[in-house]
């Protein structure tokens, strides 16, 4: 039954993707148009004030004038605020401090509402106040409100604001049990509500991170001697397989990708592991069998533009017949196109739920010149780009113009890095402290030549972009510890203990027979056995010139 449900969900995803082909083509046109606009701005701009001013004026001429007149409160909003004042003075004061657009969105009572929020327009403020209004103003229990975000940071920020703004004090974890990322809420449901045993999993299943998942794939390929092409793009291949595509790239005949997918699923169930995609897919399958009862009264969605079909389906499965929806998004901030999100998600949400649409146009974060520059760079061509320009019609700067912006044209990334390093040094020589200087890039790879230039110029750097990817020993240690906690994962323990760099055992020392023997012992004994091996490795490496650097964990 579970396999049939998964195939049904994947078939729905494939059909939806096929229906959205034209939208994806438009997305490609959007990317091309945006790149063209950026290239044009970079090529035509010079590093003189006169030419920069001409660039800004020419680009701004393409755009419609911004809307600056806020909507009137209206009789309904005035009546709600007047009725709220004697009951909840603190909440009344909070709502009265919102601007007219924000207040309109918070107090709206539409069964489904989409709020198109410009960058810096206070969308997190609106989300937090919406939850407080529903809870304190309308009497909806917090545990009946699902708040879905895309990052732990955003979920934590919303929960913290709800806590800080709530006059009734800090809500308990049970009240905010449906507040978190899509994956964390799905995990909460799988651990505490949904019957995972119907999928073949034990209740104590564990969630793999990306590195552990990739290691599992590679071990299965090797142990079963599978022929898999394009292994560097294996994640994409498996996603394409879900959509019914067996061939990838320039392939003319199939390989063992279907067999690998079946082995992966069987192994995950056998050892009690799920990856992040499984959390949503399995939660959807179980919600189809056993809908949440009672269903949430409200589902509040952050960053709707980043939703893919899987997240939209999760929202549908989580909702009940009377669940109301409130979603916030910005069409100009689609950053997850590589995993299925697109501008068409707004149209799909409006069409599926008959959603009303409001806007948050006022930018409180940036100077007027930065807002004007953003409007210029986002102006492109093509139907989607024109829709973005129309959406920018409501982008309003609330702060002064500020310092004029400069667009610097340089020959290549090396010249750019040297110029940036020298410019940072000039600013510091003029009295600007290092802590007040920051350099941002779109990708980690773009920072590599800059690191070299800054090091050559002896500029002190706090490299916030250096993360776990720079610590392979950390990934190895985590694999070792996880295999100790998941005693059925004998292959994981064997891979860690026989690692070419940090493993203390040769591949022949820990044979498959010994692995099977380890799997047969109890969980506590298995953990003790792997812990003993870890201590042995630590003793062997103590004199090594390659420390484990545990202080960084």
């Amino acid at each position: 039954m579970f396999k049939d449900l998964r195939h049904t969900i994947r078939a729905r995803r494939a059909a939806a993707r096929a229906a959205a082909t034209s939208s994806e083509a438009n997305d490609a046109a959007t990317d091309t148009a945006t790149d063209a606009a950026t290239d044009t701005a970079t090529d035509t701009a010079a590093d003189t004030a006169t030419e920069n001013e001409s660039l800004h004026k020419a680009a701004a001429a393409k755009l419609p004038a911004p809307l600056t007149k806020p909507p009137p409160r209206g009789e309904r909003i005035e009546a709600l605020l007047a009725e709220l004042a004697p009951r909840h003075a603190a909440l009344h004061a909070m709502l009265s401090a919102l601007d007219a657009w924000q207040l309109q969105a918070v107090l709206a009572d539409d069964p489904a509402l989409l709020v198109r929020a410009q960058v810096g327009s206070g969308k997190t403020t609106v989300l937090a106040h919406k939850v407080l209004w529903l809870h304190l103003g309308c009497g909806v229990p917090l545990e009946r409100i699902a708040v879905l975000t895309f990052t732990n940071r955003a979920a934590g920020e919303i929960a913290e604001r709800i806590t800080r703004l709530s006059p009734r004090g800090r809500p308990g974890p049970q009240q905010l049990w449906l507040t978190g990322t899509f994956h964390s809420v799905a995990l909460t449901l799988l651990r505490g509500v949904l019957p995972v045993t119907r999928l073949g999993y034990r209740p104590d299943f564990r969630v793999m991170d990306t590195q552990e998942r990739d290691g599992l794939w590679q071990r299965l390929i090797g142990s079963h001697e599978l022929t898999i092409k394009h292994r560097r793009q294996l994640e994409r291949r498996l996603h394409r397989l879900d959509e019914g595509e067996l061939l990838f790239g320039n392939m003319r005949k199939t390989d063992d990708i279907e067999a690998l997918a079946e082995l992966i699923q069987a192994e995950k169930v056998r050892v009690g592991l799920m990856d992040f995609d499984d959390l949503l897919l399995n939660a959807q399958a179980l919600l189809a069998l056993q809908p949440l009862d009672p269903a949430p009264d409200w589902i509040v969605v952050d960053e709707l533009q980043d939703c893919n079909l899987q997240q939209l389906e999760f929202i549908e499965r989580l909702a009940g017949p009377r669940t109301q929806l409130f979603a916030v998004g910005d069409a100009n901030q689609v950053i997850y196109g590589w995993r299925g999100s697109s501008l068409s998600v707004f149209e799909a949400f409006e069409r599926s739920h008959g959603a009303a649409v409001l806007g948050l146009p006022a930018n409180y974060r940036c100077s007027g010149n930065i807002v004007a520059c953003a409007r210029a760079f986002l102006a492109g061509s093509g139907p989607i780009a024109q829709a973005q320009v129309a959406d920018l019609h409501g982008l309003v700067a609330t702060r002064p113009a500020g310092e004029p912006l400069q667009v610097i044209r340089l020959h290549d990334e090396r010249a750019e890095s040297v110029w940036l390093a020298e410019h940072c040094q000039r600013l510091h020589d003029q009295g600007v402290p290092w802590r007040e200087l920051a350099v941002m890039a779109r990708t980690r790879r773009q920072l590599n030549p800059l690191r070299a230039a800054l090091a050559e110029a002896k500029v002190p750097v706090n490299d916030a972009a250096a993360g776990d990817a720079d610590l392979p020993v950390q990934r190895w240690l985590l694999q070792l510890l996880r295999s100790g906690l998941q005693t059925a994962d004998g292959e994981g323990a064997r891979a860690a203990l026989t690692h070419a760099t940090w493993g203390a055992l040769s591949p022949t020392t820990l044979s498959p027979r010994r692995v099977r023997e380890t799997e047969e012992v109890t969980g506590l004994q298995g953990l003790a056995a792997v812990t003993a091996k870890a201590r042995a490795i630590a003793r062997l490496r103590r004199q090594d010139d390659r420390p484990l650097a545990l202080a960084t964990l």
Side-chain angles (χ1 to χ4, degrees):
M1 180 184 295
F2 168 52
K3 188 173 182 179
D4 292 339
L5 280 169
R6 290 174 68 97
H7 281 307
T8 300
I9 291 173
R10 286 168 173 165
R12 289 180 59 198
R13 289 165 57 189
R17 284 189 181 277
T21 300
S22 59
S23 296
E24 291 176 358
N26 285 335
D27 291 343
T30 303
D31 294 339
T32 303
T34 303
D35 291 342
T38 304
D39 292 342
T40 301
T42 304
D43 291 340
T44 57
D47 43 5
T48 64
T50 302
E51 292 186 59
N52 274 301
E53 183 178 359
S54 300
L55 171 68
H56 283 274
K57 288 182 178 179
K62 303 178 184 178
L63 300 169
L67 298 173
T68 56
K69 185 177 180 180
R73 284 190 173 182
E75 295 181 1
R76 175 182 170 273
I77 291 180
E78 293 291 357
L80 287 174
L81 291 176
E83 190 274 335
L84 179 68
R87 292 194 296 116
H88 292 289
L91 180 60
H92 179 271
M94 295 175 193
L95 296 180
S96 298
L98 300 177
D99 71 28
W101 295 284
Q102 295 169 343
L103 184 62
Q104 184 182 39
V106 169
L107 298 184
D109 61 351
D110 302 88
L113 178 65
L114 170 60
V115 180
R116 289 180 174 267
Q118 299 291 350
V119 61
S121 60
K123 68 176 181 59
T124 304
T125 296
V126 168
L127 284 171
H129 283 74
K130 181 70 176 183
V131 174
L132 286 174
W133 164 248
L134 293 174
H135 177 49
L136 300 176
C138 303
V140 181
L142 285 175
E143 56 269 26
R144 300 289 296 277
I145 304 173
V147 183
L148 304 176
T149 68
F150 276 86
T151 65
N152 289 318
R153 180 177 179 180
E157 183 178 357
I158 291 173
E160 188 274 332
R161 290 200 188 193
I162 293 172
T163 297
R164 177 161 47 87
L165 297 176
S166 176
R168 297 183 180 178
R170 184 179 184 83
Q174 293 181 342
Q175 292 178 283
L176 299 177
W177 74 296
L178 290 178
T179 295
T181 65
F182 279 84
H183 293 93
S184 68
V185 171
L187 177 60
T188 297
L189 295 173
L190 290 169
R191 288 221 188 273
V193 178
L194 300 175
V196 293
T197 53
R198 298 183 68 173
L199 307 182
Y201 281 95
R202 301 187 303 270
D204 63 343
F205 72 89
R206 189 170 58 78
V207 181
M208 298 184 289
D209 62 16
T210 303
Q211 288 78 21
E212 187 178 6
R213 180 205 64 185
D214 293 347
L216 173 66
W217 292 350
Q218 300 304 326
R219 290 200 304 274
L220 290 174
I221 292 173
S223 61
H224 291 272
E225 299 181 349
L226 301 179
T227 299
I228 301 294
K229 298 179 180 179
H230 299 286
R231 287 174 62 166
R232 291 188 177 182
Q233 301 188 64
L234 187 53
E235 180 177 8
R236 183 174 294 181
R237 286 209 61 192
L238 290 169
H239 280 301
R240 294 279 183 87
L241 181 64
D242 286 345
E243 299 161 13
E245 298 182 24
L246 294 175
L247 302 180
F248 186 85
N250 59 357
M251 292 175 59
R252 294 187 177 181
K253 60 180 182 179
T254 61
D255 53 8
D256 296 327
I257 190 69
E258 285 187 291
L260 175 61
E262 293 180 2
L263 287 169
I264 290 172
Q265 184 58 36
E267 182 68 6
K268 286 189 294 189
V269 172
R270 186 185 73 83
V271 300
L273 294 173
M274 293 188 194
D275 60 31
F276 289 111
D277 285 341
D278 291 330
L279 294 177
L280 291 178
L281 193 60
N282 291 340
Q284 288 171 225
L286 290 173
L287 285 170
L289 294 173
Q290 180 180 306
L292 199 60
D293 187 19
D297 291 340
W298 280 82
I299 297 179
V300 178
V301 183
D302 188 20
E303 308 289 9
L304 181 69
Q305 76 278 355
D306 293 331
C307 282
N308 58 21
L309 291 174
Q310 192 175 69
Q311 273 115 20
L312 291 178
E313 289 170 4
F314 179 72
I315 294 172
E316 291 182 8
R317 292 293 185 188
L318 187 61
R322 298 183 179 180
T323 299
Q324 294 181 256
L325 302 176
F326 181 88
V328 177
D330 180 3
N332 297 312
Q333 295 189 62
V334 177
I335 61 174
Y336 289 118
W338 54 273
R339 63 156 179 71
S341 63
S342 71
L343 291 172
S344 62
V345 70
F346 291 91
E347 180 184 350
F349 185 85
E350 292 178 39
R351 183 178 62 252
S352 299
H353 304 287
V357 181
L358 293 176
L360 296 180
N363 180 290
Y364 293 95
R365 183 181 303 164
C366 305
S367 68
N369 280 334
I370 291 177
V371 171
C373 183
R375 289 164 55 87
F377 271 85
L378 287 168
S381 59
I384 298 296
Q386 291 303 317
Q388 287 180 306
V389 172
D391 197 39
L392 287 170
H393 185 58
L395 180 57
V396 179
T398 62
R399 298 178 61 180
E403 295 293 326
L405 304 181
Q406 287 187 323
V407 179
I408 308 299
R409 182 177 58 193
L410 297 161
H411 177 65
D412 55 21
E413 62 181 12
R414 170 62 182 168
E416 179 184 16
S417 300
V418 171
W419 185 90
L420 282 169
E422 293 175 349
H423 186 61
C424 289
Q425 185 64 61
R426 285 194 297 270
L427 291 173
H428 181 66
D429 293 342
Q430 295 170 10
V432 180
W434 291 121
R435 65 177 179 274
E436 294 183 9
L437 295 175
V439 178
M440 294 180 289
R442 190 172 61 86
T443 65
R444 290 177 182 267
R445 185 170 59 86
Q446 291 175 308
L447 291 175
N448 292 332
L450 180 59
R451 289 189 182 99
L454 292 171
E456 185 177 346
K458 296 182 172 54
V459 173
V461 174
N462 178 16
D463 194 348
D468 295 347
D470 301 321
L471 295 171
V473 66
Q474 177 178 343
R475 296 197 296 271
W476 167 82
L477 179 61
L478 289 174
Q479 181 185 28
L480 179 68
L481 296 175
R482 285 165 177 156
S483 63
L485 294 173
Q486 200 77 28
T487 55
D489 186 16
E491 282 297 317
R494 185 171 187 269
L497 294 172
T498 60
H499 191 279
T501 304
W502 297 289
L505 305 175
S506 68
T508 57
T509 303
L510 197 63
S511 64
R513 180 179 62 82
R514 293 288 301 277
V515 171
R516 287 194 297 271
E517 292 173 355
T518 303
E519 292 176 2
E520 293 172 359
V521 300
T522 65
L524 187 59
Q525 291 171 329
L527 178 60
V530 175
T531 303
K533 295 295 183 184
R535 288 173 178 168
I537 292 172
R539 286 195 298 271
L540 289 172
R541 296 300 178 191
R542 198 165 293 155
Q543 304 301 323
D544 201 321
D545 59 352
R546 296 169 297 179
L548 293 179
L550 296 180
T552 62
L553 296 178

